[in-house]
Amino acid sequence: MGVRYAVLGPLEVTIDRQPTALPAAKHRIVLATLLLSANRPVSVDELAERLWGEEPPASAKATLQGYVLRLRRTLTAAGVDPVRTRPPGYLIEVGPEELDLDRFKALVAEAESAPAAAAADRLREALDLWRGPALSDVPSPSLHFAAGRWLAELRINALERRIDADLRLGRHADLLGELAGLVADSPLHEPFRAQLMLALHRAGRSADALETYRDARATFVAELGIEPGERLREVERGVLVGDPALDWRPEAPDRVVLRPQALPPDVPDLVGRASLADELTARLAAPSGHSGTPVVQVIAGMPGVGKSALAVHIGHRLRPHFTDGRLHATLRDATGPLHPAEVLGRLLRQLGVLGTHLPDSVEGRSTLLRDRLAGRRVLLVLDDAVDEAQVRPLIPGDECSAVLVTSRNRLTGLAGARTVDLTVLDDGESLRLLETVLGVERVAAEPAAARDLVRHCGGLPLALRIAAARLAARANRPLSWLVAQLADEQRRLDGLEAGDMQVRASLATGYRALDGERQRALRLLGSLNNADYSPRLAAAVLDRPPHRAERLVEDLVDAQLLELVADRYRMHGLVRVYAREQAMSDRERDEAVERALSAWLAAAEEAEAMLPNAGWLPHLPGRGAASSVDPMAWFEVERQELAVAIDQAAAEGHVGHAWRLAAACEGFLEVRGHWDDWRRCQERALVAAVTGNDRWGEARMRYGLGRLCFAQDRHELAERLLRQALELWQGDRLSQAHALMALGDVHHHNGRLDLARACFDEAAADYATEHDERGSVNAGFCLGLLSRDLGDVDAAKSALAAALAAFRRLDDSYGQAQVLLFLGASHCKWGDQDAAERCLTEATALYRGFGDRLGELRCLRQLGHVLVIRGETARAERVLTGCQRAFAEIGDVFGEAFAGWSLAELALRDGDERLGRHRLTAALDLFTRAGLEPWQRRMRRRLAELGRSAAV
C-alpha cells in the first residue's frame, strides 16, 4: 500500500493515490509535528506546546492521548498505521520516498555534487514539490515559529542554487523575468539582486545592472540603514570595469564522475555460447519494464560449466550500453561464501568510496550502494553467488542499472530475476574448444583421438580445458597419448557425464598421475585456506629449499592443479577440497599450517618494520629485521590473503600467529584506511586470544580495537577497550605507556583535560624508565597540546617545537607529520597564519607521501580554516567544500563537522549571517552525533554570540 505525506504546502495524506481527509485542526497539528521529526520520537511536552502554546491546560497529556488515538483511527481506517508510542512521546514511521520533505532534501543533496545541468534539473524537481507555504493549513503559531522559517529557508536556498546552476549554464536571458519578480517580492534579499545584476550584465544590459545596484543601495539605506553587502558590491565593481570573470563561458564538468570498468579480461576462446550470449546481452541492454526495478539475470549451472566466463564475456559486450561503469565482485573465496557486507564494501570502493568508516551494517552499505547507483547506467556482475539472501542487498534500487549473477543454484527465490541453466557443450562445440587451445591442424591430424577425448570429457568445459592444457604443455605428445590414459578406468576422469563428481573425477586423475612427492605437495598446499601462494609461502609449506619447492609447484601447474598468475600460484577452490580429502595425518597438516603462518608472520613483521608509522605500536621483543621490499606495496598485494591467514590461525588454535599477524597489519591498515579489515582481523584474533588465555595477545588486540574505535568517534567503547588493555598489561610498563597515550587521547578529545594529563604524565614516566625516546617525545608533544588547550601558550610552543626537533633528529617522518599538523592548528589559534600554512603544507606533503588519505584531508581542512581567517574567500571555500564532501563520503563525522564550522566562519566573515548560522547549526548537529561535548559547547557559544549580536 502506497502512502504519501506532504508538508511542503497544505498538509496532505494520500493513500493509494486517494486523499485522506483530516478535518480536525488539532489532528493536523499532531500529524505535522510528528512528520517534521519523522522516525524520531517527539516528546509529549513538545506536542503540547505545538497544540496550546506555552501554557497548555492541566489535562494536556490526557487530551493529547485522545488526539493521537483519533488520528490513528483515521489513518488505520484508510489502511495504514504508522504512529507509534515511543518514550518520551510518539513517533511516526515514514519509509523512503513517503514524505515530500525527505524527497526534497534528497534531491538537493544530489545536486550538491552533480554537474551544473544535472544540478539544475534536480533542484527544479525539488522546488516543484512545493505547493505553497509549508503547512499553511496547520493552525499552530508555535509550530510555524519553530519550523516555518527553517522550511522557508530550505526553499530559498534551493532556489538560489538552482538559479546559480542556470547562470552557469548560460541561461541568463531566460532568468531575467523570474529574478525581477523575486527581487520585487523580496527587495532586501541580496542574493537575488546579485543574480539579477549578473544576468542583466551577461544579457548585454550593463546599465540596467548598475541601476539595479543603485536601487538596492537606496532600499538598504532607507530600510536598514546599511550599505549593500560585499557580494553586491563585487558584482557592481565587475560591471563597472568590465571584468571578464563575470562573462559567461561554458565550463568543464563540475567533477570527474567515476565510471569503473572492473571486469576481468574477456575469454578469447569462448565456444558454444554465441546464441545464449546474444539473448542475454539483448535482455540486459533493454530497459527494465518496471520502474524502480533493475533487470536481474541469473546464469546457473554445475561447477566447471563456464558460468563465470560467459558472464564476463557478456559484460564486455555490454560496455556501450552501460556508460557509467561495470562492476565485478566474486561472492565466494577460499574460506566459503563472503558476507554481503564485505561484498558491498568492495563494490563501493570500485565506485570511489574510501574504505574508512564505511557503514557497519549490511543495511547501511546496501542503502549507500543504491544511492551511488541511482540514475546511473551501471552493470553489476556478481560471480559465484551462494543463495538469494547473499544477493538481495547487492541489487540496485532503480531501473537504470542491471545485474548479472552466476550461481551453482537457480536462485528461484530472487524476486524479478530470470534464470537460464548453462549445460555442457555438444560434440561439435567441444571439438572447437580443443581447436582454440591446440590449433586446428593438431586436432585435424587425429580426428578419431579428438572425438574420443571429447567423449571422455563429457562436454564439460573445465575438463576439456584441463585436457587441452596438458596437451598444449606437451607439444610433442599426440592426442592419443592422453586418450590412452583416459581410456583406463583407473586413470580416466570418472563420471564426466553428470553432477559434481565429474569435477572430482577429473581432479582425481590428475592427482593419481603425480608421484608421491608431488601428491604430498598438493595435499600440503591444500591444507591452507589461502587462494594464492607466493613462492616463499609455498617453500615454507612444503618444507623444501626454494629451488626444489619451485620445481614441485611448477609441475603442479603443468598438471592443471595450480594456476600461475603473474608471479603467484593459485589453487582453485574445488582442487583444494579434493586435496583435503586425500589421506594425511592431523600432525602433518598442523605442521604445514604452522610453517605457513610462521612464513606469513616473518614477512609481515619485516614489512611492518619499514612502514612510516613503524615503532609507534606495542610489540613483543625479538621481532625480525626490516625488509628491503616496498612495505605499502607488499601489504596491498597480500592484504586479503593475510586476512584469510588470520582467520585460519584463529579457527585452528594458532593463537600467537593470529594476533601477531593482526598486530603486524595494523599500521598499514590504519594508514591506508582499510578499517573494515582492521576491525575484522583484530576481532577474530581477540576471540582466539581470549579462548587461548593469551593475556598479552588479548591486551594487544583490545588496544588496537580501542584505537580503531577512537578513530571512528566511538569514544565510550574506545575507553573501555583501552582500560581493559591497560589492566591486562600490568607489569609491562612500555606497553602500558602505549595504552595510556591512547587513553589520554580519548580524554583530551572529550575535554577531560585533567584525566588526559594524568595519562600522559604516567606514560612519560614509563617511557623514560624503559628508555623509549620516541615514546617520550610523543608524550611531551601531547602534554604540549594540553598546555595549549589550558591557555599556557609559552609552554605549548616550547613543547611542540621540542617535539618537532626531536622527531627530525630521530628521522621519524610520521612523528613529524603528526606534530606539524597540530602545530599548524595551534599557530592558527594563536594568530600566526603564515606559520600555520608552512606547517600544514609540510604535513600535507608527508601524509601524501605515506599514502595516508585521511591525514592529508585533516591537513587540508585545517589549511582551509587558516584561509578563512586570512580572508582568502574563494580559495578557502574551494578547499573546505572539497574536504567536507570527502569527509562525508568516508564517514569521518568530526572532520565533516570541523570543515562545516570553518565554512560557517567564512560565511560570517563575508557578512552572510543566515548562511553562517545555518552552517554552525549543521556543525553542532554533527558534533552531537559524534558525542563530542566540548565541541558542542563551542558551537552553542558561537550561536549565542550571533544571537546577542543580532539583538544589539
Side-chain angles (χ1 to χ4, degrees):
M1 179 166 291
V3 58
R4 295 288 186 272
Y5 303 100
V7 297
L8 304 181
L11 179 62
E12 291 182 357
V13 179
T14 305
I15 300 174
D16 285 342
R17 301 186 179 181
Q18 297 298 316
T20 298
L22 295 169
K26 297 297 187 183
H27 297 175
R28 293 200 302 276
I29 294 172
V30 171
L31 179 59
T33 304
L34 293 176
L35 286 172
L36 291 179
S37 298
N39 300 311
R40 299 195 307 272
V42 180
S43 69
V44 169
D45 289 343
E46 181 178 341
L47 286 164
E49 183 177 344
R50 301 294 178 256
L51 286 162
W52 296 288
E54 296 182 356
E55 297 182 1
S59 60
K61 185 174 181 179
T63 305
L64 172 61
Q65 289 174 341
Y67 291 155
V68 172
L69 177 62
R70 287 188 284 276
L71 174 62
R72 279 177 167 169
R73 286 174 178 169
T74 300
L75 295 175
T76 303
V80 296
D81 183 21
V83 179
R84 300 285 180 265
T85 301
R86 291 287 187 276
Y90 304 92
L91 67 74
I92 186 168
E93 294 178 346
V94 174
E97 302 289 329
E98 290 183 354
L99 178 61
D100 60 352
L101 177 58
D102 289 344
R103 178 61 179 158
F104 173 83
K105 290 179 178 178
L107 288 166
V108 171
E110 288 176 21
E112 181 72 31
S113 57
D121 291 342
R122 299 288 191 280
L123 292 165
R124 192 169 283 106
E125 184 180 350
L127 291 165
D128 286 344
L129 295 171
W130 288 77
R131 298 163 290 109
L135 302 171
S136 55
D137 62 340
V138 177
S140 171
S142 171
L143 180 64
H144 286 288
F145 179 81
R149 292 176 59 186
W150 163 65
L151 290 168
E153 286 293 327
L154 285 180
R155 180 179 178 278
I156 292 295
N157 288 339
L159 182 56
E160 290 175 14
R161 289 172 56 191
R162 195 227 80 208
I163 293 171
D164 281 337
D166 283 337
L167 285 170
R168 295 204 307 274
L169 293 167
R171 298 169 179 169
H172 35 269
D174 298 335
L175 292 169
L176 292 176
E178 180 184 8
L179 283 168
L182 290 170
V183 168
D185 291 340
S186 305
L188 300 178
H189 192 71
E190 286 197 33
F192 289 154
R193 286 189 181 268
Q195 290 170 329
L196 177 58
M197 290 178 65
L198 184 58
L200 287 167
H201 176 67
R202 288 180 175 176
R205 296 169 57 184
S206 298
D208 291 338
L210 294 174
E211 179 60 32
T212 298
Y213 176 80
R214 287 190 289 271
D215 178 67
R217 183 178 184 278
T219 301
F220 290 175
V221 170
E223 297 289 335
L224 305 175
I226 61 173
E227 293 287 332
E230 177 60 27
R231 181 174 179 182
L232 273 177
R233 295 199 301 271
E234 186 176 329
V235 176
E236 183 214 19
R237 286 193 296 268
V239 173
L240 286 171
V241 302
D243 187 350
L246 295 184
D247 297 338
W248 177 78
R249 59 178 62 84
E251 60 180 27
D254 291 357
R255 68 170 184 173
V256 176
V257 177
L258 288 179
R259 294 181 173 85
Q261 305 295 337
L263 292 181
D266 199 358
V267 178
D269 51 5
L270 191 69
V271 171
R273 310 301 190 193
S275 176
L276 181 59
D278 290 343
E279 176 189 338
L280 299 186
T281 299
R283 179 170 188 262
L284 288 160
S288 171
H290 304 280
S291 177
T293 303
V295 175
V296 180
Q297 178 66 57
V298 178
I299 302 174
M302 60 176 290
V305 80
K307 305 181 295 294
S308 300
L310 177 60
V312 168
H313 176 71
I314 292 170
H316 281 279
R317 291 180 58 177
L318 285 167
R319 179 168 188 166
H321 301 280
F322 292 89
T323 54
D324 291 320
R326 294 166 299 159
L327 307 180
H328 180 273
T330 301
L331 277 63
R332 188 198 304 259
D333 68 6
T335 61
L338 296 180
H339 193 276
E342 184 171 353
V343 181
L344 285 162
R346 294 179 182 181
L347 293 171
L348 287 165
R349 287 189 181 91
Q350 292 178 32
L351 289 166
V353 178
L354 294 179
T356 49
H357 294 296
L358 280 170
D360 288 332
S361 67
V362 171
E363 293 78 11
R365 294 186 178 194
S366 183
T367 299
L368 183 56
L369 180 69
R370 292 194 298 271
D371 177 72
R372 290 305 170 96
L373 294 180
R376 302 180 67 187
R377 286 288 286 168
V378 175
L379 174 69
L380 279 74
V381 178
L382 306 176
D383 192 27
D384 208 7
V386 177
D387 54 27
E388 294 89 337
Q390 189 187 30
V391 175
R392 287 191 188 100
L394 314 179
I395 303 297
D398 66 15
E399 68 278 9
C400 297
S401 296
V403 184
L404 179 56
V405 187
T406 71
S407 178
R408 302 172 194 182
N409 302 313
R410 301 193 77 251
L411 304 185
T412 53
L414 198 60
R418 291 188 186 177
T419 300
V420 297
D421 294 305
L422 200 58
T423 59
V424 298
L425 303 177
D426 63 26
D427 288 353
E429 293 166 343
S430 297
L431 284 171
R432 287 203 303 276
L433 178 54
L434 289 178
E435 290 170 351
T436 61
V437 178
L438 300 175
V440 175
E441 295 80 7
R442 189 175 178 187
V443 174
E446 299 181 77
R451 287 193 297 272
D452 286 341
L453 186 60
V454 166
R455 179 170 52 85
H456 288 314
C457 290
L460 188 68
L462 176 61
L464 288 164
R465 289 185 183 280
I466 290 174
R470 292 182 64 191
L471 288 166
R474 296 162 177 81
N476 60 335
R477 298 277 192 179
L479 272 63
S480 57
W481 165 79
L482 182 57
V483 170
Q485 295 182 29
L486 300 180
D488 187 339
E489 188 82 12
Q490 299 301 314
R491 303 174 64 191
R492 193 175 68 197
L493 306 177
D494 278 335
L496 283 175
E497 296 179 354
D500 284 351
M501 292 299 293
Q502 296 173 334
V503 174
R504 181 174 289 108
S506 67
L507 298 175
T509 302
Y511 179 77
R512 285 195 293 267
L514 301 174
D515 63 22
E517 187 168 18
R518 283 155 185 78
Q519 288 183 349
R520 170 185 176 274
L522 187 68
R523 291 195 305 268
L524 294 178
L525 291 171
S527 67
L528 303 185
N529 292 345
N530 298 91
D532 289 353
Y533 315 101
S534 67
R536 174 176 176 173
L537 181 64
V541 175
L542 301 181
D543 197 21
R544 294 291 185 268
H547 69 280
R548 181 59 183 162
E550 182 179 4
R551 175 63 185 273
L552 291 172
V553 294
E554 287 289 345
D555 287 347
L556 293 177
V557 171
D558 289 342
Q560 292 298 311
L561 296 171
L562 289 182
E563 181 183 6
L564 183 61
V565 181
D567 60 347
R568 301 172 69 84
Y569 301 103
R570 178 173 298 165
M571 181 180 286
H572 190 281
L574 293 173
V575 178
R576 178 177 300 101
V577 170
Y578 178 82
R580 290 181 174 182
E581 291 177 350
Q582 307 315 301
M584 181 169 58
S585 70
D586 291 343
R587 177 180 176 183
E588 184 182 22
R589 183 179 184 280
D590 287 345
E591 288 175 350
V593 171
E594 181 151 359
R595 286 195 301 272
L597 294 172
S598 296
W600 273 121
L601 183 59
E605 290 187 343
E606 288 170 7
E608 181 201 18
M610 295 297 294
L611 290 173
N613 54 359
W616 280 73
L617 301 174
H619 57 80
L620 288 171
R623 296 193 308 170
S627 168
S628 59
V629 302
D630 178 350
M632 303 296 281
W634 185 87
F635 273 112
E636 198 64 67
V637 169
E638 303 289 356
R639 175 167 59 91
Q640 292 186 7
E641 297 302 320
L642 281 165
V644 173
I646 292 167
D647 279 344
Q648 183 168 10
E652 296 181 12
H654 300 277
V655 175
H657 288 94
W659 72 255
R660 287 183 66 182
L661 274 171
C665 297
E666 181 176 331
F668 164 78
L669 297 174
E670 178 182 16
V671 168
R672 275 289 194 261
H674 296 303
W675 291 3
D676 274 355
D677 289 349
W678 182 355
R679 185 192 70 252
R680 184 170 58 251
C681 290
Q682 294 203 350
E683 285 179 348
R684 191 76 177 88
L686 174 60
V687 172
V690 172
T691 304
N693 197 30
D694 187 328
R695 290 176 61 83
W696 210 99
E698 179 185 351
R700 179 62 183 84
M701 292 300 93
R702 292 190 186 279
Y703 166 83
L705 289 168
R707 292 179 65 245
L708 174 61
C709 289
F710 173 60
Q712 294 177 314
D713 297 322
R714 297 159 67 191
H715 295 165
E716 184 176 348
L717 180 56
E719 181 178 353
R720 182 162 67 250
L721 286 164
L722 291 168
R723 288 191 181 280
Q724 291 167 343
L726 196 61
E727 178 66 26
L728 288 164
W729 268 330
Q730 285 293 332
D732 184 341
R733 299 190 67 175
L734 185 56
S735 298
Q736 279 198 315
H738 285 299
L740 285 165
M741 291 298 297
L743 186 58
D745 284 338
V746 176
H747 289 317
H748 192 176
H749 209 63
N750 285 276
R752 301 187 290 266
L753 304 188
D754 289 340
L755 292 175
R757 179 178 292 279
C759 288
F760 295 148
D761 282 337
E762 186 176 351
D766 287 340
Y767 283 132
T769 301
E770 297 297 322
H771 306 291
D772 187 321
E773 188 174 4
R774 178 187 284 110
S776 296
V777 174
N778 191 36
F781 161 54
C782 291
L783 287 166
L785 293 177
L786 273 179
S787 297
R788 179 198 66 183
D789 293 343
L790 290 167
D792 192 344
V793 175
D794 292 336
K797 286 183 176 179
S798 176
L800 296 181
L804 181 59
F807 281 130
R808 292 193 195 281
R809 186 180 71 255
L810 293 171
D811 197 25
D812 188 330
S813 299
Y814 191 77
Q816 293 173 50
Q818 294 280 83
V819 175
L820 286 165
L821 169 57
F822 286 95
L823 188 57
S826 301
H827 280 306
C828 176
K829 184 175 182 178
W830 296 328
D832 190 347
Q833 307 311 322
D834 291 340
E837 183 176 13
R838 287 194 299 272
C839 291
L840 293 168
T841 300
E842 185 178 353
T844 301
L846 287 170
Y847 281 118
R848 188 174 294 135
F850 303 154
D852 188 340
R853 175 62 172 155
L854 195 57
E856 182 183 348
L857 280 173
R858 287 169 176 165
C859 291
L860 291 173
R861 175 198 67 201
Q862 188 62 50
L863 182 59
H865 201 67
V866 170
L867 297 173
V868 170
I869 295 172
R870 279 183 167 175
E872 297 184 33
T873 304
R875 188 179 168 201
E877 183 85 28
R878 185 169 62 253
V879 170
L880 290 169
T881 301
C883 281
Q884 188 178 42
R885 185 179 298 119
F887 281 124
E889 287 180 351
I890 65 178
D892 188 323
V893 179
F894 177 80
E896 183 184 359
F898 192 102
W901 169 44
S902 298
L903 283 167
E905 296 298 337
L906 179 64
L908 294 170
R909 178 176 287 271
D910 285 347
D912 192 341
E913 183 174 331
R914 176 191 55 77
L915 180 58
R917 186 185 297 276
H918 173 74
R919 287 173 170 174
L920 282 171
T921 302
L924 173 60
D925 290 342
L926 289 168
F927 284 127
T928 302
R929 192 201 311 173
L932 298 174
E933 281 291 338
W935 290 93
Q936 295 173 47
R937 291 194 295 271
R938 191 168 186 173
M939 294 303 100
R940 291 192 184 99
R941 284 198 302 269
R942 191 70 179 98
L943 286 166
E945 291 170 3
L946 292 178
R948 289 193 295 271
S949 174
V952 173

